[in-house]
């Protein structure tokens, strides 16, 4: 909010109190349409009629082309805003009584605001070139699928594509990423089915969306700001909006082609282009960009909080805790734990430790 305030040239208040941050610290919904229901335990909430009004007023007038609201809408608009302020006031008062000051969390929040205000520099020319290459690659994949009577609409429709697969003796419940990857890993897969599945994977990739969101939100100085969401996960860690810099695809172990940054063309292949998205984030002149990852941080903190010294010794010895969990679950030796079973060990460890529900265990 401070970024928006600053961008409009307003004299900034000396301090901000963000009820969204307060709510997240307490494990409550941060959105005002859900927070009152969870906190006040009554029927208070955002007025759906007012929300429709806001959407209406965010569109230019069909005749004049401006955004000035007609006089007839002003009373409803004022009432809508007043209701929101009253809800925020009540929620703030209640959360203040339940959220004691936490010096450590206050320091984390201050760091969060500093990071979001500074943002990171984006190589705009490379961003545009990579976006174009991703689009061309997807178009080529769609053209190959069209040769087998599979349209773009079918590729985007789980129902239509699962029906098409069923007609080719492949019975699947969904066409999610993992399902498609599993099918493509089968060397016996018919070539025409492989072509269609590869096209599905291309049109479903999030790479294009990530690049579009990043480009649309750049400041005039080429920096992306306000991306991190404080306490976005209920474990307390950050999440992100628009563009997720914490979860970018890793380059292949053999590395990326040396010319991919100067020439991100479709000829490099979809996997390379997807991994090359990291290259849009660059260091300013005279600076160095460091990539840091806390290895298994949530599992380590979980074991430390639980006082589980035995499993902490596994980390100290360089062992894989998730493999050990999977070995216990499946009754096999640690050395025999497959990649898929390790994933189950990871989900079980973190979901059970951090309050995951039935869907996590499924």
């Amino acid at each position: 909010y401070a970024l928006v305030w600053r961008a409009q040239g307003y004299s900034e208040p000396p301090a901000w109190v963000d009820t969204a941050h307060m709510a997240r610290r307490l494990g409550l919904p941060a959105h005002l349409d859900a927070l009152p229901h969870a906190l006040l335990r009554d029927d208070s909430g955002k007025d759906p009629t007012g929300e429709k009004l806001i959407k209406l007023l965010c569109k230019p007038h069909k005749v004049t082309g401006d955004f000035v609201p007609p006089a007839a809408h002003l009373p409803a608009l004022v009432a809508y805003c007043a209701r929101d302020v009253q809800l925020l006031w009540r929620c703030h008062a209640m959360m203040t009584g339940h959220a004691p000051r936490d010096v450590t969390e206050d320091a984390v929040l201050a760091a969060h605001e500093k990071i979001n205000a500074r943002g990171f520099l984006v190589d705009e020319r490379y961003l545009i070139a990579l976006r174009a290459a991703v689009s061309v690659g997807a178009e080529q994949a769609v053209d190959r699928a069209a040769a087998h009577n599979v349209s773009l609409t079918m590729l985007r429709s789980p129902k239509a594509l699962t029906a098409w697969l069923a007609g080719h003796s492949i019975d699947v419940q969904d066409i999610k990423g993992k399902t498609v990857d599993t099918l493509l890993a089968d060397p016996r897969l018919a070539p025409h089915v492989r072509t269609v599945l590869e096209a599905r994977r291309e049109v479903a990739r999030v790479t294009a969306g990530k690049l579009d969101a990043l480009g649309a939100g750049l400041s005039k100085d080429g920096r992306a700001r306000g991306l991190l969401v404080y306490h976005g996960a209920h474990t307390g860690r950050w999440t992100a909006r628009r563009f997720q810099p914490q979860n970018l695809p890793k380059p292949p172990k053999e590395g990326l082609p040396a010319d991919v940054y100067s020439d991100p063309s479709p000829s490099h292949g979809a996997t390379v282009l997807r991994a090359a998205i990291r290259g849009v984030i660059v260091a300013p002149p005279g600076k160095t960009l460091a990539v840091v990852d806390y290895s298994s941080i949530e599992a380590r903190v979980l074991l430390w909080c639980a006082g589980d010294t035995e499993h902490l010794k596994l980390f100290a010895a360089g062992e894989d805790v998730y493999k050990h969990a999977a070995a216990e679950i499946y009754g096999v030796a640690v050395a025999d734990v497959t990649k898929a079973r390790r994933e189950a060990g990871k989900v079980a460890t973190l979901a059970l430790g951090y309050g995951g529900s039935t869907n996590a265990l499924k």
Side-chain angles (χ1 to χ4, degrees):
Y1 303 113
L3 289 174
V4 176
W5 193 275
R6 203 173 302 148
Q8 296 301 318
Y10 297 134
S11 177
E12 196 169 335
W16 287 90
V17 177
D18 194 329
T19 52
H21 294 335
M22 295 177 70
R24 290 191 178 104
R25 279 196 197 185
L26 292 170
L28 294 166
H31 296 287
L32 192 55
D33 55 350
L35 179 60
H37 292 295
L39 188 62
L40 304 176
R41 301 293 183 181
D42 58 25
D43 293 330
S44 301
K46 289 178 74 69
D47 180 4
T49 304
E51 199 161 359
K52 292 178 181 177
L53 176 63
I54 289 293
K55 291 179 180 179
L56 174 68
L57 299 180
C58 286
K59 297 177 181 179
H61 192 275
K62 290 181 180 179
V63 178
T64 64
D66 59 28
F67 291 87
V68 178
H73 289 318
L74 287 177
L77 180 62
V78 171
Y80 173 73
C81 293
R83 179 183 174 88
D84 274 9
V85 171
Q86 290 167 352
L87 281 173
L88 275 175
W89 186 268
R90 292 176 63 195
C91 290
H92 174 265
M94 183 168 284
M95 288 190 294
T96 301
H98 289 81
R101 288 295 301 274
D102 185 323
V103 176
T104 302
E105 274 300 313
D106 288 347
V108 172
L109 180 55
H112 161 80
E113 298 290 359
K114 186 176 181 180
I115 292 168
N116 264 355
R118 181 180 59 201
F120 54 76
L121 189 62
V122 172
D123 185 335
E124 293 185 69
R125 290 178 61 188
Y126 176 65
L127 170 67
I128 294 170
L130 183 59
R131 179 65 182 88
V134 170
S135 297
V136 171
E139 290 170 3
Q140 292 174 348
V142 171
D143 289 342
R144 291 192 292 271
H148 302 289
N149 297 318
V150 177
S151 65
L152 176 60
T153 302
M154 290 176 64
L155 290 173
R156 287 176 171 166
S157 168
K159 183 178 180 180
L161 196 54
T162 50
W164 184 89
L165 290 170
H168 292 77
S169 304
I170 297 178
D171 186 21
V172 291
Q173 299 299 313
D174 60 67
I175 53 168
K176 295 179 181 178
K178 288 187 177 180
T179 304
V180 173
D181 289 343
T182 301
L183 292 173
L184 288 172
D186 187 349
R188 301 167 297 175
L189 193 66
H192 68 288
V193 176
R194 182 176 299 278
T195 297
V196 170
L197 288 175
E198 287 175 345
R200 161 64 190 181
R201 187 164 63 179
E202 283 304 303
V203 300
R205 285 192 191 279
V206 298
T207 305
K210 277 178 174 284
L211 295 173
D212 289 342
L214 182 61
L218 291 182
S219 300
K220 291 180 180 179
D221 60 358
R223 284 182 170 270
R225 292 182 168 87
L227 297 179
L228 295 185
V229 178
Y230 167 76
H231 222 297
H234 78 278
T235 57
R237 66 172 173 80
W238 276 281
T239 55
R241 60 172 69 88
R242 304 200 316 272
F243 180 83
Q244 173 54 290
Q246 301 162 302
N247 191 28
L248 297 176
K250 293 181 179 179
K253 291 182 179 179
E254 64 273 15
L256 293 174
D259 64 338
V260 69
Y261 297 109
S262 59
D263 177 29
S265 64
S267 60
H268 285 301
T271 301
V272 170
L273 290 179
R274 183 168 174 265
I277 192 174
R278 286 185 173 222
V280 302
I281 302 174
V282 294
K287 302 291 184 178
T288 299
L289 187 65
V291 180
V292 180
D293 181 24
Y294 289 112
S295 177
S296 304
I297 182 63
E298 289 183 314
R300 293 173 190 264
V301 170
L302 172 65
L303 296 173
W304 182 83
C305 288
D308 190 342
T309 55
E310 289 303 309
H311 283 91
L312 283 173
K313 289 177 183 177
L314 295 174
F315 274 122
E319 294 283 330
D320 189 324
V321 169
Y322 302 138
K323 280 191 173 183
H324 278 266
E328 293 181 34
I329 292 171
Y330 293 104
V332 299
V334 174
D336 296 329
V337 172
T338 62
K339 184 177 180 180
R341 287 185 169 183
R342 180 189 181 274
E343 185 67 18
K346 179 178 181 179
V347 171
T349 299
L350 298 179
L352 294 172
Y354 285 105
S357 189
T358 52
N359 286 340
L361 293 179
K362 285 179 182 178

